[in-house]
């Protein structure tokens, strides 16, 4: 990864935040342009060689395009975080258009059928909370950061506390799901506790055990959800079909391992189709993972 001067990166982020304040979609388009310029200057985003390391079969043109898109998204996401911290999810919901497709999230919520909405560190992840708020879908969002206030529909909890505090959050999430609610949390790149290593892009990655344990305890479906930046500066949120569930009577360790394997397969397919949606941190996380052999990490 490149290591540009901190002031250079901060200058692009500051310009993006200023551009976003008056009219978010217009500002996000400007932020994307700034990110692409910063990528060409080596200030933001990964070098194309990092994409090639992750996807050896990808063409040099695709690697260069993905690197520029990662930088554009990174600058936009910094502006998005500043917007949400300043005005909450409501400010983003007012200024940006959303669409939830896929697995009928709103219908599930109305029928009080619980679901685990599994997010990833890709695209415009913060837009998911705003999308659900705009749709009026109650959800308990568990985040590691950056933290921001709850809304009338999206209850936000920070998962950065002690083991005891994380246990309390898990208990609350179980109660929320058993009451027919939705819980949203990231599966990748989080803190402890972690799953056993599972294959993804030829590497052994570990996923959040919290999501896996919730699925096992409540037998709720795990539905991948992502949000992507659109060319017009808006955000499109999508829910995908639920991951294939393990047998309900599987031993706990087997249940979580099999579900983690399905999640790893889903993430690999998504990244192969959309490598430019990776965050710099998720790219580093994948590149740092050790090769995975049939019996486990090498």
């Amino acid at each position: 990864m490149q290591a540009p001067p901190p002031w250079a990166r901060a200058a692009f982020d500051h310009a993006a935040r200023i551009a976003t304040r008056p009219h978010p979609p217009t500002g996000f388009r400007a932020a994307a342009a700034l990110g692409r310029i910063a990528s060409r200057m080596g200030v933001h985003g990964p070098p194309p060689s990092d994409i090639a390391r992750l996807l050896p079969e990808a063409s040099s043109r695709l690697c260069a395009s993905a690197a520029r898109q990662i930088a554009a998204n990174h600058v936009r996401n910094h502006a998005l975080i500043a917007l949400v911290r300043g005005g909450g999810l409501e400010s983003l919901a007012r200024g940006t258009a959303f669409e939830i497709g896929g697995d009928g999230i709103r219908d599930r919520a109305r029928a009080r059928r619980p679901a685990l909405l599994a997010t990833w560190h890709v695209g415009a992840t913060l837009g998911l909370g705003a999308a659900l708020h705009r749709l009026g879908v109650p959800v308990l969002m568990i985040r590691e950061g950056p933290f921001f206030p709850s809304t009338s529909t999206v209850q936000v909890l920070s998962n950065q506390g002690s083991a005891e505090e994380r246990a309390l959050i898990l208990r609350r999430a179980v109660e929320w799901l058993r009451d027919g609610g939705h819980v949203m949390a990231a599966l990748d790149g989080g803190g402890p506790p972690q799953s056993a290593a599972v294959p993804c892009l030829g590497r052994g990655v570990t996923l959040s055990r919290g999501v896996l344990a919730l699925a096992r305890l409540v037998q709720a479906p795990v539905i991948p959800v992502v949000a992507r930046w659109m060319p017009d500066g808006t955000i499109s949120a999508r829910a995908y079909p639920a991951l294939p569930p393990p047998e309900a009577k599987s031993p706990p360790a087997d249940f979580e391992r099999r579900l983690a394997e399905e999640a790893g397969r889903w993430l690999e397919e998504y990244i192969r189709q959309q490598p430019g949606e990776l965050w710099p941190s998720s790219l580093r996380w994948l590149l740092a993972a050790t090769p995975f052999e049939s019996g486990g990490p090498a």
Side-chain angles (χ1 to χ4, degrees):
M1 287 286 185
Q2 296 161 304
W7 62 263
R9 181 175 295 172
F12 278 92
D13 290 341
H14 182 65
R17 287 195 293 270
I18 292 175
T20 303
R21 288 171 189 163
H23 184 253
T26 302
F28 288 139
R29 291 199 301 273
L34 287 169
R36 293 187 182 96
I37 293 171
S39 175
R40 293 182 184 277
M41 295 174 61
V43 174
H44 253 302
S49 58
D50 279 356
I51 310 299
R53 287 172 55 203
L54 185 67
L55 301 172
E57 72 282 2
S59 67
S60 58
R61 183 175 180 179
L62 175 60
C63 292
S65 174
R68 288 193 296 270
Q69 185 180 348
I70 289 172
N73 286 352
H74 192 56
V75 175
R76 281 188 286 204
N77 283 334
H78 276 214
L80 183 150
I81 289 168
L83 181 68
V84 172
R85 279 180 165 169
L89 287 174
E90 294 92 343
S91 63
L92 185 60
R94 285 195 305 268
T96 311
F98 296 94
E99 177 183 357
I100 286 279
D103 203 64
I105 294 297
R106 183 157 46 184
D107 293 339
R108 292 190 66 93
R110 287 173 175 169
R112 301 202 63 78
R113 296 162 57 203
L116 277 159
L117 308 182
T119 67
W120 311 86
H121 290 85
V122 298
T125 298
L126 277 178
L128 290 167
L132 294 169
H133 172 76
R134 184 167 181 173
L135 288 174
V137 174
V139 62
L140 181 67
M141 181 190 294
I142 302 173
R143 290 189 55 78
E144 294 194 357
F147 195 68
F148 49 85
S150 299
T151 72
S152 56
T153 54
V154 181
Q155 301 298 307
V156 186
L157 296 179
S158 174
N159 197 32
Q160 291 184 314
S162 64
E164 292 77 12
E165 290 170 325
R166 291 196 299 269
L168 289 174
I169 289 175
L170 182 66
R171 186 181 305 168
R172 182 174 178 188
V174 168
E175 294 170 352
W176 187 281
L177 288 165
R178 286 177 175 166
D179 195 38
H182 286 23
V183 171
M184 184 160 63
L187 254 175
D188 63 322
Q194 294 286 294
S195 72
V198 295
C200 181
L201 293 168
R203 292 165 162 78
V205 300
T206 58
L207 304 177
S208 168
R209 271 206 67 213
V211 175
L212 305 173
L214 284 170
R216 174 176 56 82
L217 292 169
V218 186
Q219 295 298 309
V222 176
I223 300 173
V225 290
V226 297
R228 293 185 60 193
W229 289 104
M230 296 290 101
D232 64 355
T234 62
I235 296 174
S236 175
R238 181 181 176 188
Y240 286 78
L243 298 178
E247 288 290 335
K249 296 182 179 179
S250 301
D254 288 348
F255 183 101
E256 294 183 14
R257 176 180 54 80
R258 290 171 185 170
L259 187 56
E261 288 172 348
E262 294 292 347
R265 277 191 281 270
W266 188 94
L267 182 60
E268 175 170 337
E269 182 178 353
Y270 186 80
I271 292 172
R272 288 191 183 281
Q273 293 177 359
Q274 307 289 345
E277 291 298 299
L278 284 165
W279 283 15
S281 59
S282 53
L283 176 58
R284 290 193 295 268
W285 170 67
L286 287 164
L287 290 176
T290 56
F292 190 93
E293 302 294 344
S294 59

